[in-house]
Amino acid sequence: MNLAGKVALVTGSSQGIGQAIVLRLAQAGANVVINYRSHPEGAEETLAKVEAFGGNCHMAQCHQSHGYTLKADLGSVEEVRQLITESIEHFGKLDILVNNAGIEKHAPFWEVTEADYDAVMNVNLKGVFFATQSFVQHLIATQRTGKIINISSVHEELPFPNFTAYCVSKGGMKMLTRNLAVELGALGITINNVAPGAIETPINTKLLNDPEKLGALLQNIPLGRLGKPQDVASLVAFLASADADYITGSTFFVDGGLLWNYQEQ
Ligand code: BGC
């Protein structure tokens, strides 16, 4: 996979899946914008790893990639637009947008507050909508094609009790992708969802520290383990590459078989 000469923005890439995606895209030669909201140290760590690829690269087929960190809260449309503008200003253009930033809040449906509902929907859906819009406006203005990859979840399909706002946001992301595949197809812009299952990342810290819950979850995963951020990143790199030029409007699950393993208790 060769992404040399491409510029990618990965939202929420100071940790977890986003960080792994940045590293995988950089490894393939892309220049990468690392976005963070509250972990500048994580963004700096990601950046250092990106720059190290260049430093460690002695083979002719290696491409020097560069990173750049930008702070923005994906829950604010103003900051989202600023993020896209500053990314383009820094690297001169954008070719790949990975909408990765996402949050979840645990509560029974009847106790969900308006503030928590707004926080989840603003980051997971509204931010994605307007980041994608700004990216598409840039592609149209520069008359170029591009690739959009959304990090969704198995919960764009699968119910997740006590996480209703999260499921609503991911279900919305599913329809955003289907709709835009049709609307953006004529522009040569592709859009796809990568839907992780249970991955070892900070969003799952509580689960990882609860042996009983973790054991029950592992029983439901046919491949018998949680996923690693790298399991997700390799698929994103493929979808961002020219090898995936004919793929649009689809969701790809990276879940060890979790989605199809409903078992009556
Ligand atoms: C959620 C995790 C959950 C996983 C599997 C993800 O979308 O963020 O909290 O463990 O789905 O249910």
Side-chain angles (χ1 to χ4, degrees):
M1 230 137 355
N2 185 355
L3 297 176
K6 301 288 182 193
V7 182
L9 162 62
V10 183
T11 65
S13 43
S14 59
Q15 59 181 14
I17 293 173
Q19 183 180 64
I21 293 170
V22 158
L23 298 181
R24 190 65 190 76
L25 298 183
Q27 209 177 26
N31 289 327
V32 281
V33 179
I34 300 153
N35 156 249
Y36 66 99
R37 178 179 61 175
S38 45
H39 297 290
E41 65 297 336
E44 287 308 319
E45 179 196 302
T46 315
L47 178 62
K49 288 184 178 171
V50 167
E51 304 296 354
F53 283 137
N56 290 334
C57 210
H58 300 300
M59 292 174 290
Q61 70 266 37
C62 291
H63 304 283
Q64 185 94 25
S65 1
H66 296 284
Y68 185 60
T69 61
L70 279 176
K71 179 175 163 67
D73 177 355
L74 269 289
S76 152
V77 173
E78 198 186 325
E79 290 188 34
V80 164
R81 290 185 172 139
Q82 189 71 17
L83 173 65
I84 301 279
T85 304
E86 286 177 12
S87 301
I88 295 165
E89 270 168 18
H90 183 80
F91 282 120
K93 63 165 186 166
L94 266 183
D95 303 288
I96 299 157
L97 171 65
V98 183
N99 288 309
N100 166 77
I103 58 171
E104 64 187 31
K105 304 265 184 193
H106 178 276
F109 171 68
W110 50 93
E111 285 176 13
V112 175
T113 63
E114 185 178 356
D116 277 358
Y117 174 92
D118 283 345
V120 169
M121 295 300 282
N122 285 348
V123 173
N124 295 11
L125 196 54
K126 192 175 180 185
V128 171
F129 189 105
F130 286 101
T132 303
Q133 185 188 63
S134 293
F135 176 57
V136 167
Q137 286 168 347
H138 163 63
L139 293 177
I140 291 172
T142 53
Q143 295 187 306
R144 293 177 313 114
T145 61
K147 301 210 185 289
I148 302 154
I149 297 133
N150 296 321
I151 307 306
S152 168
S153 165
V154 284
H155 300 299
E156 70 163 53
E157 282 300 334
L158 189 68
F160 194 14
N162 302 305
F163 290 91
T164 299
Y166 181 75
C167 290
V168 170
S169 72
K170 296 301 182 178
M173 188 180 244
K174 176 173 77 177
M175 284 314 297
L176 180 80
T177 291
R178 292 182 183 183
N179 224 66
L180 293 187
V182 177
E183 199 167 342
L184 304 180
L187 301 171
I189 301 169
T190 66
I191 178 163
N192 291 288
N193 281 12
V194 170
I199 311 291
E200 284 172 24
T201 71
I203 211 171
N204 278 319
T205 305
K206 258 198 186 156
L207 174 79
L208 293 167
N209 292 320
D210 183 334
E212 206 178 309
K213 272 199 177 155
L214 184 60
L217 176 63
L218 286 173
Q219 295 271 314
N220 287 335
I221 302 177
L223 289 182
R225 66 168 175 91
L226 294 194
K228 302 221 174 284
Q230 295 80 355
D231 292 323
V232 180
S234 49
L235 177 56
V236 174
F238 166 70
L239 290 172
S241 78
D243 289 347
D245 275 352
Y246 197 59
I247 301 174
T248 196
S250 288
T251 293
F252 300 88
F253 294 92
V254 185
D255 67 348
L258 173 69
L259 183 61
W260 303 128
N261 197 34
Y262 171 78
Q263 287 178 24
E264 212 158 328
Q265 299 296 323

